[in-house]
C-alpha cells in the first residue's frame, strides 16, 4: 500500500507536481521524510505538514475488513473475484478461475505452453463480463520477445468464433492489449513502478509478465558474493508492488517462471521436466565420488519468491502431444492434475480428467511422482523403485497402476496424499 501514488492520496494537483520535482511520487517517498524536509519541499507550516502526514498515512494504511465482508463482496459480484480460464475442470477446482487480487505463477520447462496460456488469458480479459471476461485492457510485459500478435488473433478467432465474427472485432481486441518489451531487471522494475497510472488511464484489468525469471537469471549470478541479496531485494520489491496493484484494483496478475534442479552440493542446473508438486526431492543416487546426492526440481527464483505468489500452476510434458497441468499451490484448491493439448484455440483440456480426492486418480499421481523421481535420478536400479513398489523393479508406463499395492512404502506414501 505504501507504493500508492500521492495523486491518489487526496493531495492537490499543485502539491503533487511540486513534490514530483523532488522525486517524491509515492506515499512511501512522502512518509520517509522528516518534518523539516517536508516543510522545505512543500513550503507549508509544521501544523499543515502534520495534517498532510495524517492524510497520506490514512490513504495508504490497509483497511480492516471482516471475513464476512470479504465473502459478501465476492458473492455480490462473483465475476470480479476470478478470471475464467474457460478450462472448465480447472475453473471448478479454482472456484472460478485465476483469482483477482493476487499473484498467479505459471511455471514449467520450455515449450510447455506458458506463453500460450498468457496469450489466451489476454484474450479472455478483453471479453465482456457476460462471457466470463473482465471487459478491460491488458498490460503484457514481454521479457523474452515471445509474444505473437498473429497467435493472439488465431486463438481469439478459433476459441470464440461466434463473438469474433469480423476482422473489426479482432482488431478492436488487439487494441486493448498493450505490449511492452523489457529486457533488463531495471526496465522491468521501472515499468512495474509506473503501472498504477496506466491501469487507471487505460482501464486495465489484467497484468502479465512473461517471464519474471528470464531477466533475473540473466543478470544475477547467485554464485557471486552479494548477488543473491540484490536479487532477493529486486524480487521482493517487484512482488510487493504487484501485490499492491492486484489488491488495490482487484485484478489478476499472472507471471511466468522457469524451473531449476538444485542439488545438495549447492549446484543448480536446468531441467527438462518438472515435479508434480511444489518442491519434491529426487531419489538418492551415487555421485562420481561415491557419495550420495539429493536434489529437487522446483520453480526458479528461490523460496522468497515462492512465498510471494499466491497460486502456482505447473505445466509439464506428458506424452506428446499431451501435456499436464498441475495445481501445485492455491489457497482454495487441493493438489489437482489435468491433461491438455495445445490447439489453434489455445489450451484444451482432455476428457475424463482425474478428480481431486478420487482414489484411482491419486494412485496415478503417486506412481507418476515416483517414476519421475527415478527418471530424474538417472539410475533405474531396483533400489529406487522399492521405495514405492516392494516387489517390482520395472518402470511402469505413466497412468498404469502398480501390481503390488501391499507394499508398506507404497501405502505410507499413498496415505500421505489421500
Amino acid at each position: 500500500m505504501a507504493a500508492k501514488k500521492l495523486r491518489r492520496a487526496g493531495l492537490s494537483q499543485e502539491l503533487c507536481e511540486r513534490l514530483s520535482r523532488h522525486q517524491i511520487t509515492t506515499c512511501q517517498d512522502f512518509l520517509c521524510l522528516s518534518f523539516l524536509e517536508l516543510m522545505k519541499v512543500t513550503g507549508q507550516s509544521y501544523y499543515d505538514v502534520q495534517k498532510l502526514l495524517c492524510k497520506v498515512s490514512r490513504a495508504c494504511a490497509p483497511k480492516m475488513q471482516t471475513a464476512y465482508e470479504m465473502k459478501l463482496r465476492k458473492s455480490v459480484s462473483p465475476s470480479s473475484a476470478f478470471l475464467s480460464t474457460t478450462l472448465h475442470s480447472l475453473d471448478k477446482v479454482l472456484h472460478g478461475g485465476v483469482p483477482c487480487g493476487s499473484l498467479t505463477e505459471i511455471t514449467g520447462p520450455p515449450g510447455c505452453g506458458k506463453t500460450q496460456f498468457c496469450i489466451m488469458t489476454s484474450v479472455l480479459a478483453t471479453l465482456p463480463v457476460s462471457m466470463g471476461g473482465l471487459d478491460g485492457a491488458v498490460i503484457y510485459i514481454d521479457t523474452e520477445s515471445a509474444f505473437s500478435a498473429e497467435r493472439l488473433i488465431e486463438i481469439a478467432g478459433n476459441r470464440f468464433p461466434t463473438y469474433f465474427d469480423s476482422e473489426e472485432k479482432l482488431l478492436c481486441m488487439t487494441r486493448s492489449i498493450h505490449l511492452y518489451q523489457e529486457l533488463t531487471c531495471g526496465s522491468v522494475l521501472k515499468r512495474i513502478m509506473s503501472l498504477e497510472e496506466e491501469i487507471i488511464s487505460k482501464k486495465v484489468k489484467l497484468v502479465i509478465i512473461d517471464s519474471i525469471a528470464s531477466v533475473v537469471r540473466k543478470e544475477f549470478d547467485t554464485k557471486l558474493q552479494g548477488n543473491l541479496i540484490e536479487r532477493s531485494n529486486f524480487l521482493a520489491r517487484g512482488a510487493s508492488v504487484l501485490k499492491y496493484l492486484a489488491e488495490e484494483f482487484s485484478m489478476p496478475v499472472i507471471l511466468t517462471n522457469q524451473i531449476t534442479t538444485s542439488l545438495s552440493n549447492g549446484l543448480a542446473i536446468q531441467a527438462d521436466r518438472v515435479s508434480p508438486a511444489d518442491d519434491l526431492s529426487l531419489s538418492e543416487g551415487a555421485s562420481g565420488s561415491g557419495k550420495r546426492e539429493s536434489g529437487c526440481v522446483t520453480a526458479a527464483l528461490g523460496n522468497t519468491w515462492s512465498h510471494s505468489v499466491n497460486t502456482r500452476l505447473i505445466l509439464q510434458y506428458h506424452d506428446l502431444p499431451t501435456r499436464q497441468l498441475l495445481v501445485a499451490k492455491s489457497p482454495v484448491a487441493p493438489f489437482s492434475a489435468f491433461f491438455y493439448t495445445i490447439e489453434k484455440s489455445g489450451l484444451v483440456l482432455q476428457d475424463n480428467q482425474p478428480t481431486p480426492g478420487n482414489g484411482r486418480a491419486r494412485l496415478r499421481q503417486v506412481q507418476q511422482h515416483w517414476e519421475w523421481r527415478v527418471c530424474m535420478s538417472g539410475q533405474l536400479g531396483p533400489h529406487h523403485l522399492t521405495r514405492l513398489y516392494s516387489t517390482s523393479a520395472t518402470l511402469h508406463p505413466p497412468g498404469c497402476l502398480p501390481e503390488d499395492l501391499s507394499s508398506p512404502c507404497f501405502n505410507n506414501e499413498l496415505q500421505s496424499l489421500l
Side-chain angles (χ1 to χ4, degrees), residues 261 271-274 282 297 371-379:
T261 301
D272 60 352
R273 287 182 68 86
V274 68
L282 288 169
V297 174
E371 288 174 0
W372 172 85
R373 290 174 67 165
V374 173
C375 290
M376 289 302 299
S377 73
Q379 309 237 350

Side-chain angles (χ1 to χ4, degrees), residues 231 235 257 260 298-307 312:
R231 188 183 82 161
L235 290 171
N257 195 0
T260 185
T298 186
L301 304 182
N303 283 336
T304 301
W305 175 258
S306 181
H307 288 297
R312 171 171 284 166

Side-chain angles (χ1 to χ4, degrees), residues 98-303:
V98 178
C100 297
S102 63
L103 308 187
T104 297
E105 180 194 82
I106 313 297
T107 190
C112 268
K114 300 187 295 294
T115 298
Q116 301 294 318
F117 185 91
C118 291
I119 293 175
M120 187 178 78
T121 51
S122 297
V123 175
L124 298 173
T126 65
L127 295 175
V129 175
S130 59
M131 294 181 64
L134 299 176
D135 195 18
V138 178
I139 288 181
Y140 195 116
I141 300 175
D142 181 14
T143 67
E144 297 181 325
S145 301
F147 183 87
S148 169
E150 291 77 13
R151 180 60 174 147
L152 175 77
I153 293 173
E154 182 182 41
I155 289 177
N158 285 277
R159 201 169 194 90
F160 303 100
T162 305
Y163 182 74
F164 294 107
D165 55 357
S166 66
E167 188 174 346
E168 184 181 350
K169 281 191 173 182
L170 285 170
L171 290 176
C172 183
M173 178 270 298
T174 60
R175 293 191 192 100
S176 299
I177 297 174
H178 307 277
L179 179 69
Y180 297 99
Q181 289 190 327
E182 309 292 356
L183 305 178
T184 66
C185 287
S187 62
V188 169
L189 186 59
K190 186 177 179 181
R191 179 64 59 189
I192 291 173
M193 300 300 290
S194 67
L195 284 179
E196 185 171 0
E197 292 182 0
E198 287 192 72
I199 289 171
I200 297 170
S201 62
K202 296 175 180 175
K203 298 181 180 179
V204 173
K205 294 297 178 69
L206 172 65
V207 172
I208 295 174
I209 302 181
D210 181 26
S211 81
I212 192 69
S214 176
V215 289
V216 172
R217 300 179 86 183
K218 280 188 295 187
E219 293 191 29
F220 294 102
D221 183 356
T222 54
K223 294 178 184 177
L224 299 179
Q225 188 176 8
N227 264 12
L228 186 59
I229 296 175
E230 288 183 25
R231 188 183 82 161
S232 296
N233 289 339
F234 166 79
L235 290 171
R237 189 176 179 190
S240 175
V241 175
L242 290 171
K243 274 179 174 281
Y244 157 70
L245 294 173
E247 293 172 4
E248 181 73 9
F249 297 100
S250 188
M251 67 178 187
V253 174
I254 298 176
L255 313 109
T256 64
N257 195 0
Q258 299 172 355
I259 61 168
T260 185
T261 301
S262 300
L263 303 178
S264 58
N265 59 7
L267 297 176
I269 59 174
Q270 289 293 99
D272 60 352
R273 287 182 68 86
V274 68
S275 74
D278 185 36
D279 188 9
L280 295 176
S281 298
L282 288 169
S283 302
E284 292 182 348
S287 65
S289 61
K291 296 180 180 180
R292 289 189 177 274
E293 292 180 345
S294 63
C296 61
V297 174
T298 186
L301 304 182
N303 283 336

Side-chain angles (χ1 to χ4, degrees), residues 30-107:
F30 188 87
L31 295 173
C32 285
L33 299 177
S34 66
F35 270 98
L36 291 177
E37 289 171 324
L38 287 173
M39 289 170 65
K40 182 178 179 179
V41 296
T42 61
Q44 298 191 19
S45 66
Y46 182 89
Y47 177 72
D48 290 334
V49 166
Q50 197 171 31
K51 288 197 296 183
L52 285 175
L53 279 171
C54 292
K55 192 172 189 177
V56 173
S57 298
R58 290 194 191 98
C60 70
K63 305 297 188 296
M64 189 280 295
Q65 58 181 334
T66 65
Y68 174 76
E69 290 171 335
M70 292 177 64
K71 179 175 173 54
L72 186 63
R73 188 177 68 252
K74 290 184 178 181
S75 62
V76 169
S77 181
S79 60
S80 64
F82 298 94
L83 169 61
S84 171
T85 65
T86 66
L87 305 173
H88 300 300
S89 298
L90 176 63
D91 286 346
K92 185 177 179 180
V93 167
L94 293 175
H95 293 204
V98 178
C100 297
S102 63
L103 308 187
T104 297
E105 180 194 82
I106 313 297
T107 190

Side-chain angles (χ1 to χ4, degrees), residues 367 389-392 394 396 400-407 410:
Q367 188 194 8
Y389 313 128
S390 62
T391 59
S392 173
T394 305
H396 296 267
C400 295
L401 295 176
E403 296 176 2
D404 181 16
L405 301 182
S406 62
S407 164
F410 178 85

